[in-house]
Amino acid sequence: MTALLTILVLVFIAIAIWQMVKIFDLAQAGNSNSQVATDKDNTLNGYLMMGFLAFIYIITIWSMVELGDLPLMSNSASAHGPQVDNLMIISMVLIFIVQTITQFLLHYFAYKYKGEKGKQALFFADNNTLEFIWTIIPVIVLAGLIIYGLFTWSAIMNVNEDDDPLIVELYAQQFNWKARYGGADNTLGKANVRLIDINRANILGVDESDPNAQDDVITTELHLPVGRPVLFKMRSQDVLHSAYMPHFRAQMNCVPGMITQFGFTPTVTTADMRQNPDMIDKVANINKIRAGKSEKLIAKGEEALERYEFDYLLLCNKICGKSHYNMQMKIIVETQEEYDAWMKEQKSFKNSLIN
């Protein structure tokens, strides 16, 4: 009902504006109504273009000083993170330089070559030199970015099996994540969604007859040992999801019916990241906002918000349904000893089944 009323109000406003325009046109019927711009109009527009150019530069400088978080990207927690950050910074710097130059030329030329009575425009049918310059420069810059990006991507995606990476499956379904570890042999058992058996608590469709599956460990929290390469195998039960771990600069689609993969080496434990000065400031700011909201909630007789504590998160970065926003799983990066102690507390797949 609210949507219908909103549409009706917008329709009535549009009709009112249309009628006002008609009345204005009728009132101007006796006056000169030439559509040709005069020198005064062109001069005014020229000055307005220069004014808008100044506004663009002022708001850009202000945004960088007041709102910017230079050097744009920071606090990466994976071995390849600095490479991704560097690629992003180079791209942003190039975009900023090109934007600054082209916007100046666009607005300055609109002012300098504004229409004036008696002035004739000079036309070039073609200019091979100019066309070569504005073609070859973008080609060189884009080719450099693409080649650099391909080398970076290849270095990230080529996980060396000789480094004994930890094999972990990320299983996506609306609207939660599950992690499956390969157990003592670090080998995942076979799995298929057709083998899901809720009655036996086989929630991921792991093949119960596969010897490699017996020591698999299924969890709702992702634990990773710091400094050890991790190779993720990703599956989706229902729709397209995307495993996104922002602090690790990692993202890969989870596609129904196929297995995708992504690998990285975590370099900063959760405990160490919590002590990072930038993270301490961010957490303090979040808790300040939460404290203000909690006061209003308490005044209404509702419960206050809990204090925020930083954790790495695995998020879904594809709109997968109505609860997409809340599809996340905590990631804990810890020492190898802490990881081993946690793993000993987990149930193996064969011991988690219901007979």
PDB file of all heavy atoms in Angstrom, residues 122-150:
ATOM      1  N   LEU A 122      37.758  25.847 -36.326  1.00  0.00           N
ATOM      2  CA  LEU A 122      38.729  25.212 -37.210  1.00  0.00           C
ATOM      3  C   LEU A 122      38.570  23.697 -37.093  1.00  0.00           C
ATOM      4  O   LEU A 122      38.638  23.149 -35.992  1.00  0.00           O
ATOM      5  CB  LEU A 122      40.155  25.622 -36.819  1.00  0.00           C
ATOM      6  CG  LEU A 122      41.288  24.974 -37.619  1.00  0.00           C
ATOM      7  CD1 LEU A 122      41.196  25.379 -39.091  1.00  0.00           C
ATOM      8  CD2 LEU A 122      42.650  25.370 -37.031  1.00  0.00           C
ATOM      9  N   PHE A 123      38.345  23.027 -38.217  1.00  0.00           N
ATOM     10  CA  PHE A 123      38.103  21.596 -38.206  1.00  0.00           C
ATOM     11  C   PHE A 123      39.286  20.852 -38.834  1.00  0.00           C
ATOM     12  O   PHE A 123      39.862  21.301 -39.828  1.00  0.00           O
ATOM     13  CB  PHE A 123      36.822  21.257 -38.987  1.00  0.00           C
ATOM     14  CG  PHE A 123      35.564  21.769 -38.348  1.00  0.00           C
ATOM     15  CD1 PHE A 123      35.023  22.985 -38.740  1.00  0.00           C
ATOM     16  CD2 PHE A 123      34.931  21.041 -37.349  1.00  0.00           C
ATOM     17  CE1 PHE A 123      33.873  23.458 -38.156  1.00  0.00           C
ATOM     18  CE2 PHE A 123      33.782  21.514 -36.763  1.00  0.00           C
ATOM     19  CZ  PHE A 123      33.241  22.730 -37.162  1.00  0.00           C
ATOM     20  N   PHE A 124      39.623  19.712 -38.235  1.00  0.00           N
ATOM     21  CA  PHE A 124      40.620  18.812 -38.814  1.00  0.00           C
ATOM     22  C   PHE A 124      39.888  17.571 -39.316  1.00  0.00           C
ATOM     23  O   PHE A 124      39.223  16.885 -38.536  1.00  0.00           O
ATOM     24  CB  PHE A 124      41.636  18.375 -37.757  1.00  0.00           C
ATOM     25  CG  PHE A 124      42.626  19.445 -37.392  1.00  0.00           C
ATOM     26  CD1 PHE A 124      42.408  20.261 -36.296  1.00  0.00           C
ATOM     27  CD2 PHE A 124      43.770  19.639 -38.151  1.00  0.00           C
ATOM     28  CE1 PHE A 124      43.303  21.244 -35.958  1.00  0.00           C
ATOM     29  CE2 PHE A 124      44.688  20.625 -37.812  1.00  0.00           C
ATOM     30  CZ  PHE A 124      44.458  21.432 -36.707  1.00  0.00           C
ATOM     31  N   ALA A 125      39.998  17.314 -40.605  1.00  0.00           N
ATOM     32  CA  ALA A 125      39.383  16.096 -41.127  1.00  0.00           C
ATOM     33  C   ALA A 125      40.043  14.870 -40.519  1.00  0.00           C
ATOM     34  O   ALA A 125      39.385  13.881 -40.184  1.00  0.00           O
ATOM     35  CB  ALA A 125      39.498  16.063 -42.652  1.00  0.00           C
ATOM     36  N   ASP A 126      41.363  14.919 -40.358  1.00  0.00           N
ATOM     37  CA  ASP A 126      42.080  13.849 -39.677  1.00  0.00           C
ATOM     38  C   ASP A 126      43.466  14.366 -39.315  1.00  0.00           C
ATOM     39  O   ASP A 126      43.967  15.327 -39.906  1.00  0.00           O
ATOM     40  CB  ASP A 126      42.192  12.592 -40.547  1.00  0.00           C
ATOM     41  CG  ASP A 126      42.979  12.850 -41.834  1.00  0.00           C
ATOM     42  OD1 ASP A 126      44.213  12.852 -41.753  1.00  0.00           O
ATOM     43  OD2 ASP A 126      42.330  13.045 -42.885  1.00  0.00           O
ATOM     44  N   ASN A 127      44.079  13.724 -38.332  1.00  0.00           N
ATOM     45  CA  ASN A 127      45.440  14.062 -37.925  1.00  0.00           C
ATOM     46  C   ASN A 127      46.082  12.771 -37.437  1.00  0.00           C
ATOM     47  O   ASN A 127      45.832  12.323 -36.313  1.00  0.00           O
ATOM     48  CB  ASN A 127      45.434  15.120 -36.817  1.00  0.00           C
ATOM     49  CG  ASN A 127      46.840  15.630 -36.511  1.00  0.00           C
ATOM     50  OD1 ASN A 127      47.775  14.855 -36.323  1.00  0.00           O
ATOM     51  ND2 ASN A 127      46.974  16.952 -36.454  1.00  0.00           N
ATOM     52  N   ASN A 128      46.841  12.160 -38.310  1.00  0.00           N
ATOM     53  CA  ASN A 128      47.411  10.851 -37.996  1.00  0.00           C
ATOM     54  C   ASN A 128      48.301  10.868 -36.757  1.00  0.00           C
ATOM     55  O   ASN A 128      48.335   9.918 -35.973  1.00  0.00           O
ATOM     56  CB  ASN A 128      48.202  10.319 -39.192  1.00  0.00           C
ATOM     57  CG  ASN A 128      47.306  10.014 -40.380  1.00  0.00           C
ATOM     58  OD1 ASN A 128      46.122   9.749 -40.207  1.00  0.00           O
ATOM     59  ND2 ASN A 128      47.857  10.078 -41.582  1.00  0.00           N
ATOM     60  N   THR A 129      49.045  11.959 -36.566  1.00  0.00           N
ATOM     61  CA  THR A 129      49.947  12.040 -35.411  1.00  0.00           C
ATOM     62  C   THR A 129      49.163  12.031 -34.098  1.00  0.00           C
ATOM     63  O   THR A 129      49.477  11.280 -33.168  1.00  0.00           O
ATOM     64  CB  THR A 129      50.809  13.312 -35.492  1.00  0.00           C
ATOM     65  OG1 THR A 129      51.542  13.308 -36.713  1.00  0.00           O
ATOM     66  CG2 THR A 129      51.779  13.373 -34.310  1.00  0.00           C
ATOM     67  N   LEU A 130      48.123  12.877 -34.039  1.00  0.00           N
ATOM     68  CA  LEU A 130      47.307  12.932 -32.824  1.00  0.00           C
ATOM     69  C   LEU A 130      46.626  11.587 -32.563  1.00  0.00           C
ATOM     70  O   LEU A 130      46.593  11.105 -31.419  1.00  0.00           O
ATOM     71  CB  LEU A 130      46.249  14.038 -32.954  1.00  0.00           C
ATOM     72  CG  LEU A 130      46.704  15.476 -32.669  1.00  0.00           C
ATOM     73  CD1 LEU A 130      45.544  16.444 -32.903  1.00  0.00           C
ATOM     74  CD2 LEU A 130      47.203  15.612 -31.234  1.00  0.00           C
ATOM     75  N   GLU A 131      46.060  11.005 -33.603  1.00  0.00           N
ATOM     76  CA  GLU A 131      45.371   9.734 -33.441  1.00  0.00           C
ATOM     77  C   GLU A 131      46.332   8.641 -32.969  1.00  0.00           C
ATOM     78  O   GLU A 131      45.979   7.786 -32.153  1.00  0.00           O
ATOM     79  CB  GLU A 131      44.694   9.331 -34.753  1.00  0.00           C
ATOM     80  CG  GLU A 131      43.520  10.230 -35.112  1.00  0.00           C
ATOM     81  CD  GLU A 131      42.889   9.870 -36.440  1.00  0.00           C
ATOM     82  OE1 GLU A 131      43.276   8.831 -37.020  1.00  0.00           O
ATOM     83  OE2 GLU A 131      42.013  10.623 -36.910  1.00  0.00           O
ATOM     84  N   PHE A 132      47.566   8.671 -33.471  1.00  0.00           N
ATOM     85  CA  PHE A 132      48.564   7.690 -33.042  1.00  0.00           C
ATOM     86  C   PHE A 132      48.894   7.878 -31.554  1.00  0.00           C
ATOM     87  O   PHE A 132      48.966   6.901 -30.796  1.00  0.00           O
ATOM     88  CB  PHE A 132      49.832   7.843 -33.886  1.00  0.00           C
ATOM     89  CG  PHE A 132      50.944   6.921 -33.459  1.00  0.00           C
ATOM     90  CD1 PHE A 132      50.949   5.585 -33.846  1.00  0.00           C
ATOM     91  CD2 PHE A 132      51.978   7.385 -32.648  1.00  0.00           C
ATOM     92  CE1 PHE A 132      51.973   4.728 -33.438  1.00  0.00           C
ATOM     93  CE2 PHE A 132      52.998   6.542 -32.240  1.00  0.00           C
ATOM     94  CZ  PHE A 132      52.991   5.207 -32.633  1.00  0.00           C
ATOM     95  N   ILE A 133      49.050   9.148 -31.158  1.00  0.00           N
ATOM     96  CA  ILE A 133      49.421   9.434 -29.761  1.00  0.00           C
ATOM     97  C   ILE A 133      48.332   8.976 -28.807  1.00  0.00           C
ATOM     98  O   ILE A 133      48.591   8.280 -27.820  1.00  0.00           O
ATOM     99  CB  ILE A 133      49.717  10.939 -29.580  1.00  0.00           C
ATOM    100  CG1 ILE A 133      51.017  11.305 -30.310  1.00  0.00           C
ATOM    101  CG2 ILE A 133      49.827  11.290 -28.095  1.00  0.00           C
ATOM    102  CD1 ILE A 133      51.293  12.796 -30.343  1.00  0.00           C
ATOM    103  N   TRP A 134      47.065   9.374 -29.079  1.00  0.00           N
ATOM    104  CA  TRP A 134      46.020   9.036 -28.102  1.00  0.00           C
ATOM    105  C   TRP A 134      45.553   7.573 -28.216  1.00  0.00           C
ATOM    106  O   TRP A 134      44.720   7.120 -27.443  1.00  0.00           O
ATOM    107  CB  TRP A 134      44.844  10.001 -28.162  1.00  0.00           C
ATOM    108  CG  TRP A 134      43.980   9.978 -29.382  1.00  0.00           C
ATOM    109  CD1 TRP A 134      43.407   8.918 -29.991  1.00  0.00           C
ATOM    110  CD2 TRP A 134      43.533  11.130 -30.116  1.00  0.00           C
ATOM    111  NE1 TRP A 134      42.656   9.297 -31.053  1.00  0.00           N
ATOM    112  CE2 TRP A 134      42.705  10.663 -31.154  1.00  0.00           C
ATOM    113  CE3 TRP A 134      43.726  12.494 -30.004  1.00  0.00           C
ATOM    114  CZ2 TRP A 134      42.085  11.521 -32.067  1.00  0.00           C
ATOM    115  CZ3 TRP A 134      43.103  13.348 -30.905  1.00  0.00           C
ATOM    116  CH2 TRP A 134      42.307  12.862 -31.929  1.00  0.00           C
ATOM    117  N   THR A 135      46.108   6.860 -29.203  1.00  0.00           N
ATOM    118  CA  THR A 135      45.849   5.416 -29.265  1.00  0.00           C
ATOM    119  C   THR A 135      46.969   4.627 -28.595  1.00  0.00           C
ATOM    120  O   THR A 135      46.718   3.728 -27.796  1.00  0.00           O
ATOM    121  CB  THR A 135      45.704   4.951 -30.731  1.00  0.00           C
ATOM    122  OG1 THR A 135      44.621   5.630 -31.341  1.00  0.00           O
ATOM    123  CG2 THR A 135      45.446   3.452 -30.781  1.00  0.00           C
ATOM    124  N   ILE A 136      48.213   4.990 -28.882  1.00  0.00           N
ATOM    125  CA  ILE A 136      49.350   4.189 -28.402  1.00  0.00           C
ATOM    126  C   ILE A 136      49.568   4.355 -26.899  1.00  0.00           C
ATOM    127  O   ILE A 136      49.963   3.402 -26.218  1.00  0.00           O
ATOM    128  CB  ILE A 136      50.639   4.549 -29.187  1.00  0.00           C
ATOM    129  CG1 ILE A 136      51.688   3.444 -29.026  1.00  0.00           C
ATOM    130  CG2 ILE A 136      51.199   5.890 -28.735  1.00  0.00           C
ATOM    131  CD1 ILE A 136      51.310   2.126 -29.600  1.00  0.00           C
ATOM    132  N   ILE A 137      49.309   5.548 -26.359  1.00  0.00           N
ATOM    133  CA  ILE A 137      49.520   5.749 -24.913  1.00  0.00           C
ATOM    134  C   ILE A 137      48.587   4.858 -24.089  1.00  0.00           C
ATOM    135  O   ILE A 137      49.047   4.128 -23.191  1.00  0.00           O
ATOM    136  CB  ILE A 137      49.369   7.244 -24.533  1.00  0.00           C
ATOM    137  CG1 ILE A 137      50.536   8.037 -25.121  1.00  0.00           C
ATOM    138  CG2 ILE A 137      49.326   7.414 -23.014  1.00  0.00           C
ATOM    139  CD1 ILE A 137      50.452   9.534 -24.870  1.00  0.00           C
ATOM    140  N   PRO A 138      47.262   4.864 -24.343  1.00  0.00           N
ATOM    141  CA  PRO A 138      46.401   3.939 -23.590  1.00  0.00           C
ATOM    142  C   PRO A 138      46.760   2.472 -23.805  1.00  0.00           C
ATOM    143  O   PRO A 138      46.674   1.667 -22.870  1.00  0.00           O
ATOM    144  CB  PRO A 138      44.993   4.238 -24.127  1.00  0.00           C
ATOM    145  CG  PRO A 138      45.074   5.628 -24.653  1.00  0.00           C
ATOM    146  CD  PRO A 138      46.457   5.756 -25.191  1.00  0.00           C
ATOM    147  N   VAL A 139      47.182   2.125 -25.031  1.00  0.00           N
ATOM    148  CA  VAL A 139      47.560   0.735 -25.299  1.00  0.00           C
ATOM    149  C   VAL A 139      48.732   0.318 -24.425  1.00  0.00           C
ATOM    150  O   VAL A 139      48.730  -0.758 -23.805  1.00  0.00           O
ATOM    151  CB  VAL A 139      47.907   0.546 -26.797  1.00  0.00           C
ATOM    152  CG1 VAL A 139      48.620  -0.791 -27.014  1.00  0.00           C
ATOM    153  CG2 VAL A 139      46.660   0.629 -27.651  1.00  0.00           C
ATOM    154  N   ILE A 140      49.767   1.172 -24.351  1.00  0.00           N
ATOM    155  CA  ILE A 140      50.951   0.848 -23.552  1.00  0.00           C
ATOM    156  C   ILE A 140      50.602   0.754 -22.068  1.00  0.00           C
ATOM    157  O   ILE A 140      50.998  -0.192 -21.372  1.00  0.00           O
ATOM    158  CB  ILE A 140      52.052   1.907 -23.779  1.00  0.00           C
ATOM    159  CG1 ILE A 140      52.566   1.825 -25.226  1.00  0.00           C
ATOM    160  CG2 ILE A 140      53.196   1.723 -22.795  1.00  0.00           C
ATOM    161  CD1 ILE A 140      53.516   2.943 -25.603  1.00  0.00           C
ATOM    162  N   VAL A 141      49.842   1.724 -21.570  1.00  0.00           N
ATOM    163  CA  VAL A 141      49.487   1.742 -20.141  1.00  0.00           C
ATOM    164  C   VAL A 141      48.631   0.539 -19.778  1.00  0.00           C
ATOM    165  O   VAL A 141      48.904  -0.163 -18.789  1.00  0.00           O
ATOM    166  CB  VAL A 141      48.752   3.055 -19.787  1.00  0.00           C
ATOM    167  CG1 VAL A 141      48.230   2.989 -18.350  1.00  0.00           C
ATOM    168  CG2 VAL A 141      49.686   4.249 -19.947  1.00  0.00           C
ATOM    169  N   LEU A 142      47.599   0.269 -20.560  1.00  0.00           N
ATOM    170  CA  LEU A 142      46.706  -0.856 -20.270  1.00  0.00           C
ATOM    171  C   LEU A 142      47.418  -2.190 -20.421  1.00  0.00           C
ATOM    172  O   LEU A 142      47.207  -3.110 -19.621  1.00  0.00           O
ATOM    173  CB  LEU A 142      45.478  -0.799 -21.182  1.00  0.00           C
ATOM    174  CG  LEU A 142      44.486   0.335 -20.894  1.00  0.00           C
ATOM    175  CD1 LEU A 142      43.367   0.340 -21.933  1.00  0.00           C
ATOM    176  CD2 LEU A 142      43.889   0.191 -19.499  1.00  0.00           C
ATOM    177  N   ALA A 143      48.276  -2.305 -21.446  1.00  0.00           N
ATOM    178  CA  ALA A 143      49.027  -3.547 -21.626  1.00  0.00           C
ATOM    179  C   ALA A 143      49.938  -3.791 -20.428  1.00  0.00           C
ATOM    180  O   ALA A 143      50.056  -4.920 -19.936  1.00  0.00           O
ATOM    181  CB  ALA A 143      49.844  -3.489 -22.916  1.00  0.00           C
ATOM    182  N   GLY A 144      50.585  -2.720 -19.944  1.00  0.00           N
ATOM    183  CA  GLY A 144      51.436  -2.854 -18.760  1.00  0.00           C
ATOM    184  C   GLY A 144      50.659  -3.305 -17.540  1.00  0.00           C
ATOM    185  O   GLY A 144      51.096  -4.205 -16.812  1.00  0.00           O
ATOM    186  N   LEU A 145      49.488  -2.694 -17.325  1.00  0.00           N
ATOM    187  CA  LEU A 145      48.651  -3.079 -16.176  1.00  0.00           C
ATOM    188  C   LEU A 145      48.177  -4.524 -16.298  1.00  0.00           C
ATOM    189  O   LEU A 145      48.199  -5.294 -15.333  1.00  0.00           O
ATOM    190  CB  LEU A 145      47.439  -2.152 -16.079  1.00  0.00           C
ATOM    191  CG  LEU A 145      47.644  -0.803 -15.382  1.00  0.00           C
ATOM    192  CD1 LEU A 145      46.360   0.012 -15.455  1.00  0.00           C
ATOM    193  CD2 LEU A 145      48.074  -0.995 -13.932  1.00  0.00           C
ATOM    194  N   ILE A 146      47.732  -4.903 -17.495  1.00  0.00           N
ATOM    195  CA  ILE A 146      47.204  -6.255 -17.701  1.00  0.00           C
ATOM    196  C   ILE A 146      48.291  -7.304 -17.514  1.00  0.00           C
ATOM    197  O   ILE A 146      48.093  -8.328 -16.844  1.00  0.00           O
ATOM    198  CB  ILE A 146      46.558  -6.372 -19.095  1.00  0.00           C
ATOM    199  CG1 ILE A 146      45.284  -5.518 -19.156  1.00  0.00           C
ATOM    200  CG2 ILE A 146      46.239  -7.823 -19.428  1.00  0.00           C
ATOM    201  CD1 ILE A 146      44.711  -5.365 -20.545  1.00  0.00           C
ATOM    202  N   ILE A 147      49.470  -7.052 -18.093  1.00  0.00           N
ATOM    203  CA  ILE A 147      50.574  -8.015 -17.973  1.00  0.00           C
ATOM    204  C   ILE A 147      51.010  -8.141 -16.513  1.00  0.00           C
ATOM    205  O   ILE A 147      51.219  -9.246 -16.003  1.00  0.00           O
ATOM    206  CB  ILE A 147      51.749  -7.595 -18.871  1.00  0.00           C
ATOM    207  CG1 ILE A 147      51.351  -7.727 -20.346  1.00  0.00           C
ATOM    208  CG2 ILE A 147      52.982  -8.447 -18.583  1.00  0.00           C
ATOM    209  CD1 ILE A 147      52.357  -7.140 -21.319  1.00  0.00           C
ATOM    210  N   TYR A 148      51.135  -7.002 -15.827  1.00  0.00           N
ATOM    211  CA  TYR A 148      51.498  -7.020 -14.405  1.00  0.00           C
ATOM    212  C   TYR A 148      50.441  -7.775 -13.604  1.00  0.00           C
ATOM    213  O   TYR A 148      50.753  -8.584 -12.717  1.00  0.00           O
ATOM    214  CB  TYR A 148      51.657  -5.588 -13.903  1.00  0.00           C
ATOM    215  CG  TYR A 148      51.989  -5.469 -12.437  1.00  0.00           C
ATOM    216  CD1 TYR A 148      52.836  -6.382 -11.806  1.00  0.00           C
ATOM    217  CD2 TYR A 148      51.466  -4.429 -11.674  1.00  0.00           C
ATOM    218  CE1 TYR A 148      53.138  -6.265 -10.461  1.00  0.00           C
ATOM    219  CE2 TYR A 148      51.770  -4.307 -10.330  1.00  0.00           C
ATOM    220  CZ  TYR A 148      52.605  -5.228  -9.731  1.00  0.00           C
ATOM    221  OH  TYR A 148      52.905  -5.109  -8.404  1.00  0.00           O
ATOM    222  N   GLY A 149      49.168  -7.515 -13.929  1.00  0.00           N
ATOM    223  CA  GLY A 149      48.083  -8.211 -13.230  1.00  0.00           C
ATOM    224  C   GLY A 149      48.102  -9.712 -13.473  1.00  0.00           C
ATOM    225  O   GLY A 149      47.858 -10.498 -12.557  1.00  0.00           O
ATOM    226  N   LEU A 150      48.403 -10.117 -14.716  1.00  0.00           N
ATOM    227  CA  LEU A 150      48.456 -11.548 -15.035  1.00  0.00           C
ATOM    228  C   LEU A 150      49.586 -12.244 -14.281  1.00  0.00           C
ATOM    229  O   LEU A 150      49.415 -13.359 -13.764  1.00  0.00           O
ATOM    230  CB  LEU A 150      48.633 -11.746 -16.540  1.00  0.00           C
ATOM    231  CG  LEU A 150      47.396 -11.480 -17.410  1.00  0.00           C
ATOM    232  CD1 LEU A 150      47.759 -11.554 -18.886  1.00  0.00           C
ATOM    233  CD2 LEU A 150      46.282 -12.470 -17.089  1.00  0.00           C
TER     234      LEU A 150
END
